[in-house]
Amino acid sequence: MEYLRELKATSRVTYREMARRTGPKPYYCGASTLSQAVTGSRLPRLQVVEAYARAVGDRADHQARQHRVGRARQLWKAAAIEEARPLRTDQGRRLRQIRTPEALGQGLARLRARVGQPSLREIERETAARGHRVPRSTCRLILAGCVLPTSEQLTVLLYAFAVTEAASMGWRIALSRIATSRDPAPTWPGGCVCPDGDPAVNAFLERRDRDERIKRKTGQLRQDEDYDAWLEVRAARAFYRRRWDYLDEDELDQFAQSG
């Protein structure tokens, strides 16, 4: 913050004028935002620091402006790393101990701190460049442990946090372990399983009854009374076919003469 205050004192430009120089959105920063950036109460966002460095000094000297922005960005990253030192020195849980979304979010927050605590906007741009954009609001929820990232989101976040391909495998295993524990595969106890109440069984029975009603209306299926008579006819025919097995030779000759 000392560097920004020195630039402000050297240029002697008011905060209102600096705000006008920051340009239109999304680069615009208000006068109050610029003034709070040098109070030292908290680390300002990188976009505010860059806008501050661009707004002070001679606007026509592009080389000097690039030098100011580069120097301000370098100092901001050093301050961000120092602010995140507690997270960087804390080893946290091992990957095999990560079993909840909260623990996964804490682990990803430590990875973010180790690469200089990039802003959510920078993470969004980096993940979009990797082919799967993670919005800032979603990234905030993931790091806070409120939501579980998808496999694609976790992959691009690990890329943004400079995690190697070999090391990312452990994080994918941890994500799979958490997802499995939250939505386990159905298991059946031993013994007979009653299908009553199973959605698939109920759907099959309803479909069968519907098809039966349609076939009855269109004449493709016998009515109940006709069906009983048809069964009796079939039984009688089967009986007469079986009679030949029980007739002796005299009965067969008599049956042939009568015919």
Side-chain angles (χ1 to χ4, degrees):
M1 303 306 104
E2 288 292 337
Y3 179 71
L4 297 181
R5 283 193 286 266
E6 291 176 3
L7 293 178
K8 173 70 169 52
T10 303
S11 61
R12 297 181 180 180
V13 182
T14 63
Y15 284 114
R16 187 181 299 275
E17 175 63 19
M18 289 172 59
R20 189 183 64 81
R21 292 182 179 183
T22 57
K25 291 183 178 180
Y27 305 103
Y28 176 79
C29 292
S32 59
T33 303
L34 295 173
S35 62
Q36 292 174 4
V38 295
T39 58
S41 57
R42 61 183 180 87
L43 185 67
R45 293 183 293 112
L46 178 59
Q47 292 76 12
V48 176
V49 173
E50 292 177 344
Y52 194 108
R54 283 195 301 267
V56 296
D58 188 3
R59 301 177 60 186
D61 193 346
H62 298 287
Q63 184 175 359
R65 183 173 59 184
Q66 291 178 357
H67 174 75
R68 292 194 305 270
V69 173
R71 178 60 176 166
R73 186 184 299 113
Q74 180 181 4
L75 294 174
W76 180 89
K77 288 186 176 181
I81 293 174
E82 184 64 26
E83 188 178 66
R85 186 174 296 278
L87 284 176
R88 299 179 73 236
T89 55
D90 184 11
Q91 296 298 324
R93 294 182 177 89
R94 296 180 181 272
L95 286 177
R96 64 174 177 270
Q97 297 174 331
I98 295 179
R99 299 183 181 275
T100 62
E102 294 79 7
L104 183 66
Q106 292 174 4
L108 293 175
R110 289 185 177 88
L111 295 179
R112 178 191 181 191
R114 290 171 184 171
V115 294
Q117 199 73 8
S119 65
L120 296 177
R121 189 184 298 274
E122 290 178 326
I123 296 175
E124 182 178 3
R125 287 199 298 261
E126 181 66 21
T127 54
R130 293 289 181 177
H132 192 88
R133 183 178 69 90
V134 180
R136 284 170 288 172
S137 57
T138 304
C139 184
R140 182 184 295 108
L141 293 175
I142 292 174
L143 295 176
C146 298
V147 299
L148 195 64
T150 63
S151 178
E152 294 79 6
Q153 289 173 341
L154 178 63
T155 299
V156 294
L157 285 174
L158 292 176
Y159 275 122
F161 298 154
V163 178
T164 63
E165 183 65 26
S168 63
M169 181 58 65
W171 291 93
R172 295 192 184 96
I173 294 175
L175 175 62
S176 178
R177 180 168 56 244
I178 298 172
T180 302
S181 64
R182 296 183 69 185
D183 189 15
T187 57
W188 299 103
C192 299
V193 179
C194 180
D196 294 343
D198 187 272
V201 174
N202 292 335
F204 169 76
L205 294 177
E206 292 176 1
R207 184 168 60 253
R208 189 189 65 178
D209 294 341
R210 184 175 61 253
D211 294 341
E212 184 177 348
R213 288 194 300 270
I214 294 174
K215 289 182 179 180
R216 289 186 185 279
K217 290 181 180 180
T218 57
Q220 302 179 38
L221 189 66
R222 298 175 183 270
Q223 298 296 331
D224 293 340
E225 56 274 6
D226 296 337
Y227 188 73
D228 294 337
W230 178 70
L231 288 178
E232 293 179 0
V233 172
R234 285 197 61 185
R237 289 178 179 175
F239 172 77
Y240 283 112
R241 283 197 300 269
R242 291 194 301 268
R243 278 189 58 194
W244 301 105
D245 298 334
Y246 302 99
L247 296 178
D248 56 16
E249 294 182 357
D250 295 337
E251 289 174 334
L252 288 173
D253 293 339
Q254 183 179 0
F255 185 82
Q257 293 175 4
S258 64

Short mmCIF file of all heavy atoms in Angstrom, two decimals, residues 191-215:
data_model
loop_
_atom_site.label_atom_id
_atom_site.label_comp_id
_atom_site.label_asym_id
_atom_site.label_seq_id
_atom_site.Cartn_x
_atom_site.Cartn_y
_atom_site.Cartn_z
N GLY A 191 -31.80 -63.06 1.52
CA GLY A 191 -33.14 -63.62 1.53
C GLY A 191 -33.96 -63.13 0.36
O GLY A 191 -33.47 -62.49 -0.57
N CYS A 192 -35.25 -63.45 0.39
CA CYS A 192 -36.16 -63.07 -0.69
C CYS A 192 -36.47 -61.59 -0.62
O CYS A 192 -36.64 -61.02 0.46
CB CYS A 192 -37.45 -63.90 -0.61
SG CYS A 192 -37.17 -65.67 -0.78
N VAL A 193 -36.58 -60.98 -1.77
CA VAL A 193 -36.88 -59.56 -1.86
C VAL A 193 -38.26 -59.40 -2.46
O VAL A 193 -38.56 -59.94 -3.52
CB VAL A 193 -35.84 -58.83 -2.74
CG1 VAL A 193 -36.19 -57.35 -2.84
CG2 VAL A 193 -34.45 -59.00 -2.15
N CYS A 194 -39.13 -58.71 -1.75
CA CYS A 194 -40.48 -58.47 -2.24
C CYS A 194 -40.46 -57.30 -3.22
O CYS A 194 -40.00 -56.21 -2.87
CB CYS A 194 -41.41 -58.18 -1.07
SG CYS A 194 -43.13 -57.89 -1.59
N PRO A 195 -40.98 -57.50 -4.45
CA PRO A 195 -40.92 -56.42 -5.43
C PRO A 195 -42.01 -55.38 -5.26
O PRO A 195 -42.04 -54.40 -6.00
CB PRO A 195 -41.07 -57.16 -6.76
CG PRO A 195 -41.91 -58.34 -6.43
CD PRO A 195 -41.53 -58.74 -5.03
N ASP A 196 -42.95 -55.61 -4.33
CA ASP A 196 -44.04 -54.65 -4.15
C ASP A 196 -43.48 -53.29 -3.77
O ASP A 196 -42.65 -53.18 -2.87
CB ASP A 196 -45.01 -55.13 -3.07
CG ASP A 196 -45.74 -56.40 -3.51
OD1 ASP A 196 -45.72 -56.69 -4.71
OD2 ASP A 196 -46.28 -57.07 -2.63
N GLY A 197 -43.98 -52.28 -4.44
CA GLY A 197 -43.51 -50.93 -4.17
C GLY A 197 -42.33 -50.50 -5.01
O GLY A 197 -41.97 -49.33 -5.01
N ASP A 198 -41.72 -51.45 -5.74
CA ASP A 198 -40.60 -51.06 -6.60
C ASP A 198 -41.14 -50.29 -7.80
O ASP A 198 -42.08 -50.74 -8.47
CB ASP A 198 -39.86 -52.31 -7.08
CG ASP A 198 -38.60 -51.96 -7.83
OD1 ASP A 198 -38.69 -51.78 -9.06
OD2 ASP A 198 -37.54 -51.86 -7.20
N PRO A 199 -40.61 -49.12 -8.12
CA PRO A 199 -41.15 -48.32 -9.24
C PRO A 199 -41.11 -49.05 -10.57
O PRO A 199 -42.04 -48.94 -11.38
CB PRO A 199 -40.25 -47.07 -9.24
CG PRO A 199 -39.70 -47.00 -7.86
CD PRO A 199 -39.56 -48.41 -7.40
N ALA A 200 -40.05 -49.80 -10.83
CA ALA A 200 -39.94 -50.51 -12.10
C ALA A 200 -41.00 -51.59 -12.22
O ALA A 200 -41.62 -51.78 -13.28
CB ALA A 200 -38.55 -51.11 -12.24
N VAL A 201 -41.25 -52.33 -11.11
CA VAL A 201 -42.27 -53.38 -11.14
C VAL A 201 -43.66 -52.78 -11.32
O VAL A 201 -44.48 -53.28 -12.11
CB VAL A 201 -42.19 -54.21 -9.84
CG1 VAL A 201 -43.33 -55.22 -9.78
CG2 VAL A 201 -40.85 -54.92 -9.75
N ASN A 202 -43.95 -51.69 -10.60
CA ASN A 202 -45.26 -51.05 -10.73
C ASN A 202 -45.49 -50.52 -12.15
O ASN A 202 -46.59 -50.63 -12.69
CB ASN A 202 -45.39 -49.92 -9.72
CG ASN A 202 -45.44 -50.44 -8.29
OD1 ASN A 202 -45.84 -51.58 -8.05
ND2 ASN A 202 -45.04 -49.61 -7.34
N ALA A 203 -44.46 -49.97 -12.74
CA ALA A 203 -44.59 -49.47 -14.11
C ALA A 203 -44.86 -50.62 -15.08
O ALA A 203 -45.67 -50.47 -16.01
CB ALA A 203 -43.32 -48.72 -14.51
N PHE A 204 -44.20 -51.76 -14.87
CA PHE A 204 -44.43 -52.90 -15.75
C PHE A 204 -45.85 -53.42 -15.62
O PHE A 204 -46.53 -53.73 -16.62
CB PHE A 204 -43.43 -54.01 -15.42
CG PHE A 204 -43.74 -55.33 -16.08
CD1 PHE A 204 -43.46 -55.52 -17.42
CD2 PHE A 204 -44.34 -56.35 -15.37
CE1 PHE A 204 -43.77 -56.73 -18.04
CE2 PHE A 204 -44.65 -57.55 -15.97
CZ PHE A 204 -44.37 -57.75 -17.31
N LEU A 205 -46.36 -53.52 -14.38
CA LEU A 205 -47.72 -54.01 -14.17
C LEU A 205 -48.75 -53.07 -14.79
O LEU A 205 -49.74 -53.52 -15.40
CB LEU A 205 -47.99 -54.19 -12.68
CG LEU A 205 -47.15 -55.28 -11.98
CD1 LEU A 205 -47.45 -55.29 -10.49
CD2 LEU A 205 -47.41 -56.64 -12.59
N GLU A 206 -48.56 -51.77 -14.63
CA GLU A 206 -49.48 -50.81 -15.23
C GLU A 206 -49.46 -50.89 -16.75
O GLU A 206 -50.50 -50.82 -17.40
CB GLU A 206 -49.12 -49.40 -14.77
CG GLU A 206 -49.38 -49.15 -13.29
CD GLU A 206 -48.92 -47.76 -12.87
OE1 GLU A 206 -48.43 -47.02 -13.75
OE2 GLU A 206 -49.04 -47.44 -11.68
N ARG A 207 -48.28 -51.06 -17.32
CA ARG A 207 -48.17 -51.17 -18.78
C ARG A 207 -48.84 -52.45 -19.29
O ARG A 207 -49.53 -52.44 -20.31
CB ARG A 207 -46.70 -51.13 -19.19
CG ARG A 207 -46.48 -51.13 -20.69
CD ARG A 207 -45.04 -50.81 -21.03
NE ARG A 207 -44.11 -51.78 -20.46
CZ ARG A 207 -43.31 -51.53 -19.42
NH1 ARG A 207 -43.34 -50.34 -18.84
NH2 ARG A 207 -42.49 -52.46 -18.96
N ARG A 208 -48.69 -53.55 -18.53
CA ARG A 208 -49.31 -54.81 -18.94
C ARG A 208 -50.83 -54.73 -18.88
O ARG A 208 -51.55 -55.18 -19.79
CB ARG A 208 -48.82 -55.94 -18.04
CG ARG A 208 -49.24 -57.33 -18.51
CD ARG A 208 -48.92 -58.37 -17.48
NE ARG A 208 -49.69 -58.16 -16.25
CZ ARG A 208 -49.63 -58.96 -15.19
NH1 ARG A 208 -48.79 -59.99 -15.19
NH2 ARG A 208 -50.35 -58.71 -14.11
N ASP A 209 -51.37 -54.12 -17.80
CA ASP A 209 -52.82 -53.96 -17.68
C ASP A 209 -53.38 -53.07 -18.78
O ASP A 209 -54.46 -53.34 -19.32
CB ASP A 209 -53.18 -53.39 -16.31
CG ASP A 209 -52.83 -54.35 -15.18
OD1 ASP A 209 -52.66 -55.55 -15.48
OD2 ASP A 209 -52.72 -53.90 -14.02
N ARG A 210 -52.65 -52.02 -19.12
CA ARG A 210 -53.11 -51.12 -20.17
C ARG A 210 -53.15 -51.83 -21.52
O ARG A 210 -54.11 -51.71 -22.29
CB ARG A 210 -52.20 -49.89 -20.24
CG ARG A 210 -52.68 -48.85 -21.26
CD ARG A 210 -51.83 -47.59 -21.20
NE ARG A 210 -50.43 -47.87 -21.51
CZ ARG A 210 -49.45 -47.87 -20.62
NH1 ARG A 210 -49.72 -47.63 -19.33
NH2 ARG A 210 -48.20 -48.11 -20.96
N ASP A 211 -52.12 -52.63 -21.80
CA ASP A 211 -52.10 -53.38 -23.07
C ASP A 211 -53.22 -54.40 -23.11
O ASP A 211 -53.83 -54.63 -24.17
CB ASP A 211 -50.74 -54.06 -23.24
CG ASP A 211 -49.61 -53.08 -23.41
OD1 ASP A 211 -49.89 -51.92 -23.75
OD2 ASP A 211 -48.44 -53.48 -23.21
N GLU A 212 -53.53 -55.02 -21.97
CA GLU A 212 -54.60 -56.01 -21.93
C GLU A 212 -55.95 -55.37 -22.20
O GLU A 212 -56.79 -55.92 -22.94
CB GLU A 212 -54.59 -56.71 -20.58
CG GLU A 212 -55.62 -57.83 -20.46
CD GLU A 212 -55.52 -58.55 -19.14
OE1 GLU A 212 -54.52 -58.33 -18.43
OE2 GLU A 212 -56.44 -59.33 -18.82
N ARG A 213 -56.18 -54.17 -21.62
CA ARG A 213 -57.45 -53.48 -21.87
C ARG A 213 -57.60 -53.11 -23.34
O ARG A 213 -58.69 -53.23 -23.92
CB ARG A 213 -57.53 -52.23 -20.99
CG ARG A 213 -57.73 -52.52 -19.50
CD ARG A 213 -58.14 -51.26 -18.76
NE ARG A 213 -57.13 -50.22 -18.86
CZ ARG A 213 -56.13 -50.06 -18.01
NH1 ARG A 213 -56.01 -50.88 -16.97
NH2 ARG A 213 -55.26 -49.08 -18.16
N ILE A 214 -56.52 -52.67 -23.95
CA ILE A 214 -56.59 -52.30 -25.37
C ILE A 214 -56.89 -53.51 -26.24
O ILE A 214 -57.71 -53.45 -27.17
CB ILE A 214 -55.27 -51.63 -25.79
CG1 ILE A 214 -55.09 -50.29 -25.06
CG2 ILE A 214 -55.21 -51.41 -27.29
CD1 ILE A 214 -53.76 -49.62 -25.31
N LYS A 215 -56.27 -54.65 -25.95
CA LYS A 215 -56.50 -55.86 -26.75
C LYS A 215 -57.91 -56.37 -26.57
O LYS A 215 -58.51 -56.90 -27.51
CB LYS A 215 -55.49 -56.92 -26.34
CG LYS A 215 -54.07 -56.62 -26.80
CD LYS A 215 -53.11 -57.72 -26.42
CE LYS A 215 -51.70 -57.41 -26.91
NZ LYS A 215 -50.74 -58.49 -26.55
#
